[in-house]
Amino acid sequence: MTTAPTLTDSQHAWESTFRHDDLGRPLPPKFHRLLFVNATATPSAAGAARLEAVLRRIDRRHPWGPEGLLFLVGWSPGWFERHTDRTPPVNRAVKMARWEDPAIDDFDGFLHLAGDREEIVEEIAAGLFSDSDLDVREHLQLAETRTGFVGEGLPRERLAELDIPEQSPLLLGFRSVLRGSQAPEPNITIADGPYTGGTTAHVSRIELNVAQWHARPRDEQSALLYAPTIRAAEADAFHDDAPSDYDRADRTVAEHGVIGHAQAAARARVGDVPLINRRDFATLDGGVPGTHFVSLQRELRDFNNTRAIMNGADAAARNARVGVRHRNGINAFMNVTRRATYIVPPRPLRSFPFVRGAR
């Protein structure tokens, strides 16, 4: 049993625990579980206290960080509508592009568990819904589990039939998380009101056509993922940020007839600082390659704006070879099948927040 760590009110404050590679790039935790839950009934104040006792037990069981466990708990608009007298602090998810038709989840809440030791992540996930000292089945029903991974060599190991570069931590063969490509955690933290110290989460399931993607030359992949001026060798060496010519997107699209995914999305930055902090990871759930995309931001409109701009719908006006999906970032290779939104409250409110009679 480890000594209880000193934790801040921000459940999402993970990054200070991350390791870094030789180039200073942050290394997110390797293994992830998303546990989607529903309340068995509207909990009482005593039920909220019992759930909090379990979560504190988890706090003490393993070190806070990738070598032990990182986790957070979020609650949906439906939770507030069904079990509290409060107006939901976030709106429900909606479709974000005209070509997608995702299911909109309506679970009460979710837990995101992450760490570098898969056995610890699995131990906690299983213990919450089995005969153990972490058992929460009196109050929570497990509705769905989503699993995945991110880390050098893991995509190649787990999808060996594709020619994924050995150094890639994700299925598309390139890095996603760089120091400058993430909104800093203070920027995504709610600064005032009842949820001060918390954040908001948008959670989606994205299927990826990795076979079609990896059939293309790597320089073409790099052009689509970053910008038409970026070659794969350059992208592999990025360590601080991914330069994407976003401030010259109109010019490069007109010249090359391609807009890159990062190039399109970076246009949503404010003062060259991203608005969202991505906690995404690769998945092979159901035998279908994809991404579980977890985006954290101070307000959901920050995600909505970034996602809308990322679509690159305006690029076709600059060059007729660009369509809403064709030669437009990774739009042609992704299909969003699920979406949901959550409030991730500050730690003191993480257990059944504002349940009637509790607080």
Side-chain angles (χ1 to χ4, degrees):
M1 187 74 69
T2 59
T3 302
T6 301
L7 302 174
T8 72
D9 279 356
S10 295
Q11 297 188 71
H12 60 282
W14 292 11
E15 292 180 345
S16 65
T17 71
F18 288 3
R19 296 179 297 109
H20 294 78
D21 68 10
D22 293 342
L23 296 177
R25 295 177 293 203
L27 298 173
K30 292 181 178 179
F31 302 104
H32 298 253
R33 297 291 182 275
L34 298 177
L35 309 179
F36 296 90
V37 297
N38 291 315
T40 56
T42 296
S44 63
R50 285 195 290 272
L51 175 60
E52 181 59 23
V54 169
L55 297 182
R56 291 184 182 182
R57 204 168 291 139
I58 298 173
D59 289 338
R60 295 190 296 270
R61 182 152 301 179
H62 298 289
W64 181 254
E67 74 283 2
L69 187 74
L70 293 162
F71 75 99
L72 58 77
V73 186
W75 300 94
S76 72
W79 159 263
F80 288 88
E81 292 167 353
R82 291 185 285 269
H83 302 292
T84 82
D85 296 320
R86 295 227 166 195
T87 300
V90 293
N91 293 325
R92 279 185 166 79
V94 297
K95 63 182 294 184
M96 302 296 294
R98 69 191 194 197
W99 65 81
E100 69 176 35
D101 187 25
I104 305 301
D105 294 330
D106 192 26
F107 306 115
D108 279 337
F110 87 111
L111 291 86
H112 185 175
L113 312 178
D116 283 349
R117 295 175 58 187
E118 193 166 19
E119 69 274 15
I120 290 179
V121 177
E122 290 181 343
E123 167 212 330
I124 299 300
L128 288 165
F129 299 96
S130 65
D131 293 328
S132 78
D133 65 335
L134 302 180
D135 190 357
V136 295
R137 289 176 296 175
E138 178 184 358
H139 302 293
L140 288 176
Q141 176 187 26
L142 179 62
E144 185 175 329
T145 299
R146 301 178 195 171
T147 71
F149 53 90
V150 54
E152 185 171 309
L154 291 174
R156 186 182 183 95
E157 170 191 311
R158 300 191 178 204
L159 210 59
E161 65 270 23
L162 295 178
D163 188 23
I164 301 175
E166 177 65 32
Q167 73 274 14
S168 175
L170 293 168
L171 293 176
L172 295 187
F174 295 89
R175 293 185 179 273
S176 174
V177 175
L178 303 167
R179 288 192 298 263
S181 67
Q182 291 276 66
E185 284 181 339
N187 291 23
I188 64 167
T189 301
I190 297 170
D192 53 54
Y195 303 100
T196 296
T199 190
T200 70
H202 189 112
V203 181
S204 53
R205 167 67 159 103
I206 304 172
E207 295 180 355
L208 296 173
N209 191 334
V210 292
Q212 185 183 50
W213 174 262
H214 286 290
R216 294 173 178 259
R218 285 204 86 225
D219 278 346
E220 184 177 338
Q221 294 173 4
S222 181
L224 290 168
L225 193 59
Y226 295 103
T229 55
I230 302 296
R231 299 293 173 259
E234 296 175 79
D236 288 339
F238 290 157
H239 56 88
D240 187 54
D241 202 355
S244 60
D245 292 338
Y246 72 90
D247 54 343
R248 298 187 296 276
D250 288 351
R251 186 189 317 164
T252 56
V253 171
E255 180 181 350
H256 296 276
V258 172
I259 186 167
H261 169 74
Q263 181 179 43
R267 296 178 301 168
R269 294 183 177 194
V270 175
D272 199 27
V273 177
L275 296 175
I276 67 173
N277 185 293
R278 304 184 316 280
R279 304 280 168 92
D280 52 301
F281 52 93
T283 186
L284 297 176
D285 284 350
V288 180
T291 297
H292 291 309
F293 196 90
V294 181
S295 171
L296 303 182
Q297 51 284 310
R298 180 172 291 173
E299 299 180 57
L300 279 173
R301 67 179 179 181
D302 294 332
F303 172 83
N304 295 342
N305 290 343
T306 300
R307 182 63 175 82
I309 291 170
M310 187 209 82
N311 286 340
D314 57 327
R318 306 299 174 187
N319 192 306
R321 290 186 291 166
V322 181
V324 293
R325 303 186 79 180
H326 181 63
R327 300 172 68 87
N328 191 330
I330 59 173
N331 292 349
F333 305 91
M334 57 181 278
N335 179 38
V336 181
T337 61
R338 309 285 289 273
R339 288 196 184 281
T341 55
Y342 301 90
I343 185 81
V344 178
R347 198 177 303 276
L349 282 178
R350 65 182 171 177
S351 298
F352 298 138
F354 297 112
V355 68
R356 297 183 185 101
R359 45 188 164 212

